Amino acid sequence: MTVVAGKGRTSAAADLGPRERPSDAGEPRMRAVVVHGPGDLRVDERTRPVPGAGEVLLAMEWGGICGSDIAYWKKGASGTAELAHPLVLGHEVAGRIAALGPGVTGPGVGSPVTVHPAQLLGDGVLPERIAGRTNLYPQVRYLGSAAFTPHTDGGFSQYRTVRAEQIRPLPAGVSTEQGALAEPLAVALHAVGRVPDLRGRTVLVNGAGPIGSLVVAAARHRGAGTVIAADLTAPALAVARAMGADETRDLARGDVLPQDVDVVFEASGAPAALGPVLRATARGGTLVQVGNLPGAAAPAVLGDLVTREITWTGSYRFVEEMDDALLALREGLDLTPLITHRFPMARAEEALAVAADPAGGSGKVMLRLSDG
């Protein structure tokens, strides 16, 4: 079985997931978490998919709720991707191999795995200046995304077929619950990798939601000296401390960002934070933008970018870092403090509501996708 991160390619006609189709009464069925429109989330019954050539059927066990899942549920859109028809949510998932399609060899039935959610469309060729940076490829299908029509169904279902090259076997001792978090951990590892060397350096993470707290853990894992986390809510800061932050700043209680910090990760995605985080960055320091900024114009005070000669760089998804995430989990990086809530699939809407409430104290909210 091929397991090279980010190398799989697909065409527009490739299998896009467990979309409903006419079925005979005898066909096996399954349940899936489906958003039908803004505020319209259902746990639907659908036909269980069958793996085709080059595919693997997974019995899903755990899924982590992400901001894009919440956006599709609340707004019927995530960024510029809008729902044109019902969509199965979920791209942070893990489970066990249930069946192998024709021509697939590799980990056998029952093996625990997670899934690289990206599939490149077309030939996968990139300009030489960004060769290998598949996260920047212009046409990518992503699990649980409405970016294309038909949409790419996600993995919040009891079963899901994926291309064999999307499979990532879990190391011994790593549970499928932890494995479902390999995808967001890969996002965090990619972000810290945008800075050549963090060893011994002082790091500020602004925004201590799930991604921000994972950036805290990733920075600590990569040898940062002192890690400071800042946020507007005390529960988020408590998670950040549990994930390795040495200091925290509660901005809602009047704390201010530290000054002259070597490396700053902006993980809140709030345009209003840009001026303060630039001011917090040391002269000649580095600011990594991890949080997604809005697609519309937003005011920001950017003078420090020039006068302090700050390097401001973006960080988008990940390339090979899912493999790095699994290695970190094998080496003992514990993501358990990040998980604050667990819900069965039948309570998916309640789980999304908890994850969407910034004042509710949630970190990562997990869905149990199997009946076990």
Side-chain angles (χ1 to χ4, degrees), residues 157-252:
S157 52
Q158 289 178 299
Y159 292 88
R160 177 66 159 93
T161 53
V162 298
R163 298 296 304 171
E165 59 265 20
Q166 291 179 266
I167 294 301
R168 301 293 179 272
L170 297 184
V174 175
S175 68
T176 53
E177 184 181 52
Q178 294 272 307
L181 297 179
E183 193 270 355
L185 178 57
V187 171
L189 287 168
H190 182 74
V192 300
R194 298 289 283 151
V195 183
D197 190 358
L198 285 182
R199 288 176 297 179
R201 303 179 74 178
T202 299
V203 169
L204 167 65
V205 180
N206 185 65
I211 290 295
S213 289
L214 284 168
V215 171
V216 168
R220 174 67 65 212
H221 185 70
R222 291 284 171 85
T226 299
V227 181
I228 307 164
D231 200 273
L232 292 167
T233 67
L237 292 172
V239 172
R241 282 193 295 272
M243 295 296 287
D246 298 290
E247 303 175 25
T248 58
R249 303 292 174 96
D250 189 336
L251 304 180

Side-chain angles (χ1 to χ4, degrees), residues 34-42 68-78 81-87 89 146 151 349 352:
V34 184
V35 60
H36 289 255
D40 185 1
L41 187 82
R42 310 176 199 175
S68 63
D69 301 316
I70 295 168
Y72 283 124
W73 167 57
K74 295 184 75 172
K75 305 174 185 177
S78 179
E82 298 184 6
L83 290 177
H85 56 76
L87 171 72
L89 295 177
H151 304 330
E349 187 165 19
L352 283 160

Side-chain angles (χ1 to χ4, degrees), residues 80-365:
T80 59
E82 298 184 6
L83 290 177
H85 56 76
L87 171 72
V88 179
L89 295 177
H91 59 267
E92 302 174 7
V93 292
R96 296 178 185 273
I97 294 176
L100 303 178
V104 177
T105 60
V109 171
S111 299
V113 298
T114 188
V115 181
H116 193 300
Q119 281 278 284
L120 309 187
L121 291 174
D123 60 16
V125 175
L126 285 161
E128 183 61 31
R129 63 185 173 80
I130 54 172
R133 296 168 68 181
T134 52
N135 61 320
L136 301 182
Y137 189 75
Q139 299 252 308
V140 178
R141 280 196 175 275
Y142 217 77
L143 293 186
S145 170
F148 294 92
T149 302
H151 304 330
T152 309
D153 280 329
F156 286 177
S157 52
Q158 289 178 299
Y159 292 88
R160 177 66 159 93
T161 53
V162 298
R163 298 296 304 171
E165 59 265 20
Q166 291 179 266
I167 294 301
R168 301 293 179 272
L170 297 184
V174 175
S175 68
T176 53
E177 184 181 52
Q178 294 272 307
L181 297 179
E183 193 270 355
L185 178 57
V187 171
L189 287 168
H190 182 74
V192 300
R194 298 289 283 151
V195 183
D197 190 358
L198 285 182
R199 288 176 297 179
R201 303 179 74 178
T202 299
V203 169
L204 167 65
V205 180
N206 185 65
I211 290 295
S213 289
L214 284 168
V215 171
V216 168
R220 174 67 65 212
H221 185 70
R222 291 284 171 85
T226 299
V227 181
I228 307 164
D231 200 273
L232 292 167
T233 67
L237 292 172
V239 172
R241 282 193 295 272
M243 295 296 287
D246 298 290
E247 303 175 25
T248 58
R249 303 292 174 96
D250 189 336
L251 304 180
R253 295 176 63 88
D255 291 349
V256 297
L257 296 180
Q259 302 297 296
D260 297 322
V261 180
D262 294 346
V263 181
V264 177
F265 294 92
E266 203 303 292
S268 74
L274 296 182
V277 295
L278 282 165
R279 172 56 56 177
T281 307
R283 295 178 183 274
T286 301
L287 170 61
V288 180
Q289 185 65 42
V290 188
N292 285 331
L293 294 169
V301 179
L302 304 179
D304 285 319
L305 181 66
V306 175
T307 61
R308 302 165 74 85
E309 287 199 353
I310 292 169
T311 299
W312 187 13
T313 187
S315 180
Y316 182 59
R317 289 180 177 168
F318 55 93
V319 185
E320 310 289 351
E321 289 87 358
M322 182 169 275
D323 296 330
D324 297 334
L326 293 174
L327 178 60
L329 292 174
R330 189 186 72 183
E331 292 174 346
L333 179 59
D334 183 13
L335 304 185
T336 303
L338 186 70
I339 301 171
T340 57
H341 298 77
R342 297 174 177 87
F343 290 89
M345 185 192 293
R347 295 168 60 192
E349 187 165 19
E350 182 183 353
L352 283 160
V354 169
D357 181 8
S362 67
K364 179 59 70 174
V365 178

